[in-house]
């Protein structure tokens, strides 16, 4: 859910500053009435009935993603939405969408809207990949990606952060934690200083409202939806705010909406620690390649020595111009980012990073692979400031966090024995401790939904127990479980034919399985 960086099906978000004039959106033409519900009623007809100007996705030179979409036959448009749904006549935003139209028009099912998680993940780039994953069902849908408000190609938000994420560790000492308190407070201060008038309107509930405007502007009475990770929470919120407006709903990497919030990663601290131990076993079997140890225990001991060395003095990695200093609050970020999948490719990437850090811990010069350098540029420079800015703005705008730093410190200290690597990460203080309180209460699940919920038992981002809980809250849903995988987000990404086929059957027929089902890794 709370992703350490750009993930599968998500491109990097370019850090931009919110345009000063939010009202400079394209003209909206009112051609149809908005639905008469409390969430989409008076004053919103012009948004629901707007004419969409479909055109090329490539907007400027060097836009390789846009060029690729144009070549694939995808068309793009901007949907105009109000900044504040309580003031529909006020400033507006644009939400970027893309569409790969159905080619099997005779058997067309409708539009399916995609969200890749994040929060703040983009999906304008996703229709071609998704079309491929959907197999025979793909040509029967208009596949629609969108970049949520303030993300990607939509009206942007950037707080001028010096980093691309705030997901760092509290480190090994009280002193390192105090530095984190000051650092995270400064991140919140930067957002308030640059975007105070906008932050109250950055929330999942407002993104759900934007989704319904997209549905109306597409001319659909109902819309299908596919959400990964945080996108499962967004999809759940949409079904509760706009009941009866969805057709087929798939929620992959599902979240219990009752536990969603700034401290959700606490729910998966055990899964992350277990995933790291499993990776250590894998790395030990390849000691000749990575040199981290011949047993699981030896590999984990190497990791501990690296973190301890970084606490004494920051590790220098890379060479000019990509030279970075990593301390004990930053090294665990690389572990967190590296254990989100148990594929050989993901495990090898983490092995390469840890081999570099082991050398750095002994003062040896190191060279960074292009992938490692990009990860560090993302995390430790302001090149993608808007990724962390938008992610935090959404989470902090959804649910309040404890404000007393001592709450976090007590939890960190209690977690160290059982979860030495990730307890100080998942319990660390964040910007939400210093954020203004949300304008709206969290969404409560009161409406049943016929959704297909997909989850892996060892998911290190959104716990499997959350998927089970969501299924209980939505009794007409079905749960599809991938057994024995330490993997977050499965469909079309993990090469599991069992999961992919079952999801595609549902998308093609609209028929949920008669009972919950499982697949093997």
């Amino acid at each position: 859910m709370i992703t350490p960086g750009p993930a599968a099906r998500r491109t990097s978000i370019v850090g931009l500053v919110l345009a000063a004039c939010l009202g400079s959106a394209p003209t909206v033409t009112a051609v149809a009435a908005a639905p008469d519900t409390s969430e989409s009623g008076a004053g919103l007809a012009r948004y629901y009935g707007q004419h969409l100007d479909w055109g090329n996705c490539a907007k400027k030179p060097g836009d390789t993603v846009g060029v690729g979409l144009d070549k694939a036959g995808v068309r793009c448009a901007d949907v105009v939405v109000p900044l504040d749904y309580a003031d529909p006549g006020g400033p507006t935003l644009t939400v970027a969408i893309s569409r790969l139209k159905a080619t099997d028009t005779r058997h067309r099912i409708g539009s399916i809207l995609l969200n890749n998680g994040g929060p703040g993940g983009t999906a304008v780039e996703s229709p071609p990949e998704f079309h491929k994953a959907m197999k025979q069902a793909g040509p029967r849908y208009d596949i629609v990606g969108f970049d949520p408000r303030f993300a990607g190609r939509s009206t942007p938000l950037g707080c001028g952060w010096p980093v691309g994420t705030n997901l760092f560790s509290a480190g090994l000492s009280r002193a390192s934690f105090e530095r984190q308190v000051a650092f995270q407070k400064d991140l919140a201060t930067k957002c308030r200083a640059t975007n105070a008038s906008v932050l109250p309107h950055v929330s999942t509930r407002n993104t759900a409202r934007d989704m319904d405007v997209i549905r109306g502007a597409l001319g659909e009475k109902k819309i299908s939806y596919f959400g990964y990770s945080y996108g499962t929470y967004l999809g759940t919120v949409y079904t509760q705010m706009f009941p009866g407006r969805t057709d087929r709903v798939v929620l992959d990497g599902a979240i219990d909406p009752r536990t969603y919030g700034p401290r959700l990663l606490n729910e998966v601290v055990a899964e992350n620690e277990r995933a790291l131990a499993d990776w250590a076993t894998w790395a030990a079997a390849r000691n000749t390649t990575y040199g981290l140890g011949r047993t699981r225990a030896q590999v984990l001991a190497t990791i501990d020595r690296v973190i301890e060395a970084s606490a004494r003095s920051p590790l220098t990695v890379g060479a000019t111009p990509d030279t970075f200093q990593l301390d004990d609050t930053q090294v665990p970020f690389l572990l967190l980012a590296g254990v989100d999948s148990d594929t050989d490719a993901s495990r090898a990437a983490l092995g390469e990073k840890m081999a570099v850090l082991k050398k750095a811990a002994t003062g040896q010069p190191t060279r960074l692979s292009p992938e490692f350098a990009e990860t560090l540029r993302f995390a430790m420079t302001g090149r993608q400031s808007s990724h962390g800015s938008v992610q935090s703005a959404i989470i902090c705008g959804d649910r309040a966090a404890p404000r007393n730093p001592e709450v976090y410190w007590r939890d960190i200290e209690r977690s160290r024995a059982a979860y030495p690597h990730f307890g100080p990460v998942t319990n660390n203080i964040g910007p939400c401790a210093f954020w203004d309180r949300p304008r709206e209460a969290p969404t409560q699940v009161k409406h049943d939904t016929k959704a297909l919920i997909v989850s892996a038992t060892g998911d290190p981002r959104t716990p499997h127990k959350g998927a089970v809980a969501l299924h209980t809250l939505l009794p007409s849903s079905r749960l599809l479980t991938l057994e024995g995988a330490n993997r977050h987000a499965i469909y079309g990404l993990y090469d599991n034919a069992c999961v992919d086929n079952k999801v595609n059957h549902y998308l093609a027929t609209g028929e949920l399985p008669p009972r919950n089902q499982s697949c093997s890794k």
Side-chain angles (χ1 to χ4, degrees), residues 268-417:
V268 285
V269 63
E271 286 83 353
N272 277 278
E273 208 74 45
R274 184 165 58 247
L276 181 64
D278 290 348
W279 168 82
T281 299
W282 180 93
R286 295 158 179 80
N287 184 54
T288 55
T289 300
Y290 305 109
L292 299 174
R294 289 184 169 82
T295 66
R296 171 191 287 193
Q298 289 177 358
V299 172
L300 293 175
T302 298
I303 298 302
D304 291 340
R305 287 193 296 273
V306 166
I307 296 173
E308 290 162 3
S310 71
R312 291 190 297 270
S313 179
L315 309 181
T316 300
V317 298
T320 305
D322 288 319
T323 303
F324 301 91
Q325 302 284 320
L326 301 176
D327 64 19
D328 56 328
T329 69
Q330 296 154 339
V331 171
F333 161 80
L334 298 173
L335 298 176
L336 181 71
V339 297
D340 71 337
S341 177
D342 57 9
T343 63
D344 282 345
S346 294
R347 286 176 162 175
L350 182 56
E352 292 166 4
K353 292 181 176 68
M354 291 304 109
V356 168
L357 295 185
K358 180 186 176 185
K359 290 181 65 177
T362 59
Q364 300 179 61
T366 59
R367 300 186 66 174
L368 303 177
S369 68
E371 189 270 339
F372 195 2
E374 179 59 31
T375 297
L376 292 175
R377 282 193 293 266
F378 162 78
M380 299 183 61
T381 75
R383 296 188 187 185
Q384 294 192 40
S385 164
S386 71
H387 176 89
S389 302
V390 173
Q391 185 173 89
S392 289
I394 295 170
I395 297 168
C396 302
D398 283 342
R399 194 183 294 266
R403 307 186 82 80
N404 185 354
E406 294 305 316
V407 171
Y408 299 89
W409 179 248
R410 287 195 297 268
D411 290 346
I412 289 164
E413 289 295 275
R414 279 195 292 260
S415 70
R416 286 191 193 275

Side-chain angles (χ1 to χ4, degrees), residues 95-360:
V95 174
I97 67 172
S98 62
R99 181 175 68 181
L100 184 61
K101 295 197 71 173
T103 54
D104 186 359
T105 54
R106 183 178 178 183
H107 302 102
R108 181 181 180 274
I109 294 169
S111 294
I112 184 167
L113 193 61
L114 312 179
N115 182 273
N116 287 328
T122 62
V124 160
E125 71 279 6
S126 295
E129 287 182 80
F130 212 81
H131 181 274
K132 182 178 179 181
M134 292 172 72
K135 307 296 184 184
Q136 290 85 356
R140 301 177 61 193
Y141 282 92
D142 287 356
I143 304 174
V144 181
F146 80 107
D147 291 355
R149 55 171 52 202
F150 305 113
R153 295 168 185 249
S154 297
T155 299
L157 179 149
C159 297
W161 283 8
V163 292
T165 181
N166 69 287
L167 295 178
F168 298 114
S169 173
L172 298 183
S173 67
R174 177 73 193 215
S176 61
F177 172 68
E178 292 296 344
R179 289 195 297 272
Q180 277 293 300
V181 172
F183 173 74
Q184 302 285 351
K185 183 177 182 179
D186 183 62
L187 295 182
T189 299
K190 281 180 165 60
C191 279
R192 191 176 295 109
T194 54
N195 294 283
S197 64
V198 171
L199 294 180
H201 311 293
V202 189
S203 69
T204 297
R205 288 179 64 84
N206 278 329
T207 300
R209 293 178 176 113
D210 295 344
M211 286 170 53
D212 204 54
V213 170
I214 293 171
R215 177 198 58 77
L218 291 173
E220 302 282 11
K221 291 184 178 179
K222 291 187 176 184
I223 197 163
S224 294
Y225 177 81
F226 196 112
Y228 290 103
S229 191
Y230 159 81
T232 68
Y233 177 71
L234 172 61
T236 300
V237 170
Y238 180 79
T239 65
Q240 301 308 300
M241 293 178 66
F242 301 96
R245 299 189 192 176
T246 54
D247 182 9
R248 297 159 203 196
V249 176
V250 182
L251 307 175
D252 187 338
I255 295 170
D256 180 350
R258 298 167 299 186
T259 63
Y260 164 81
R263 308 194 79 192
L264 178 63
L265 281 178
N266 292 359
E267 298 288 314
V268 285
V269 63
E271 286 83 353
N272 277 278
E273 208 74 45
R274 184 165 58 247
L276 181 64
D278 290 348
W279 168 82
T281 299
W282 180 93
R286 295 158 179 80
N287 184 54
T288 55
T289 300
Y290 305 109
L292 299 174
R294 289 184 169 82
T295 66
R296 171 191 287 193
Q298 289 177 358
V299 172
L300 293 175
T302 298
I303 298 302
D304 291 340
R305 287 193 296 273
V306 166
I307 296 173
E308 290 162 3
S310 71
R312 291 190 297 270
S313 179
L315 309 181
T316 300
V317 298
T320 305
D322 288 319
T323 303
F324 301 91
Q325 302 284 320
L326 301 176
D327 64 19
D328 56 328
T329 69
Q330 296 154 339
V331 171
F333 161 80
L334 298 173
L335 298 176
L336 181 71
V339 297
D340 71 337
S341 177
D342 57 9
T343 63
D344 282 345
S346 294
R347 286 176 162 175
L350 182 56
E352 292 166 4
K353 292 181 176 68
M354 291 304 109
V356 168
L357 295 185
K358 180 186 176 185
K359 290 181 65 177

